[in-house]
Amino acid sequence: MGIMDWKRIEPWDYIAVAVAAEYHKKYDMVELEDIKQSLYEWFLEHPNKLNEWEAIGPKDAKNLIYRSLRNQALDYCQRWKAKSIGYEPSDLFYYEPVMVEALLPSVLRGEFTVMPVLNLGKTGRPPAPSEGGNMMAMMVEINAAYVKLSKEDRAVLFFKYLESLDFTGIAVEMELGSEDAARMRHNRAIKKLITRIGGFKPFLDKDITKHSTDEPNELIKPDNHSEEDERREDSE
């Protein structure tokens, strides 16, 4: 890494250090310095994106960079783990929210031996390994993650998927104040559940070209979650 490259990265080095430490803790079989090097490579591969994000302000740039580096670290660690264990990275399976939500009613009823018929509303989606006869294992994993959630997160999922309440009803039962508040609580609970069973599939972004129209919404509406928010949610 040249001196000019480091000058470009140095203002954001604290994010790279924090993200590398976070993912080394989750994937302790991967060397901390290797994760950090992968994050530095992101900066070298995304110079235009870095310029664009810095131009919209330090707070938004910080959140956007943090999000991208977390995805970079997750992808690197999962690929390294797959290689070390002896399977292909393409064999990695990620739980999608639609899959978790489809299985939660059966999970909460304890019907692990009754295979639910799932209509995920998608076409052309490759079957998950669990759908080929191992769906019970998926349900057990979801249940194990569910029981580790906070009381409030378990409650919102219980009301939604076992009691079949809509968000208005959930807001009343949990005294959340509004339908939107109940929906937000639900979405965060699903996110935390998926995080506990392996996390979301990492999104690896491309650099912005001068005439790129690929990511206009990303620049206009950056993720408002800071790294402190993410770590706090993961630890709950």
Side-chain angles (χ1 to χ4, degrees), residues 22 46 54 94 115 124 163 167 205:
E22 176 186 350
H46 298 80
E54 288 178 332
Y94 301 93
M115 295 298 101
E163 298 294 326
F167 290 119
D205 45 14

Side-chain angles (χ1 to χ4, degrees), residues 153-220:
D153 289 332
R154 293 197 307 272
V156 71
L157 297 181
F158 176 89
F159 286 130
K160 175 68 173 174
Y161 298 101
L162 193 60
E163 298 294 326
S164 300
L165 296 183
D166 59 18
F167 290 119
T168 299
I170 292 172
V172 172
E173 289 289 339
M174 297 184 66
E175 300 181 350
L176 295 176
S178 71
E179 177 183 338
D180 287 343
R183 181 179 291 105
M184 184 177 296
R185 170 83 69 172
H186 164 270
N187 292 344
R188 288 185 178 179
I190 290 292
K191 177 183 176 182
K192 291 176 185 178
L193 194 154
I194 292 176
T195 297
R196 289 186 178 277
I197 51 179
F200 294 90
K201 183 175 182 178
F203 171 76
L204 298 181
D205 45 14
K206 298 178 182 178
D207 197 23
I208 298 172
T209 62
K210 188 173 182 180
H211 303 291
S212 174
T213 58
D214 292 341
E215 300 173 278
N217 291 333
E218 188 174 44
L219 295 177
I220 296 169

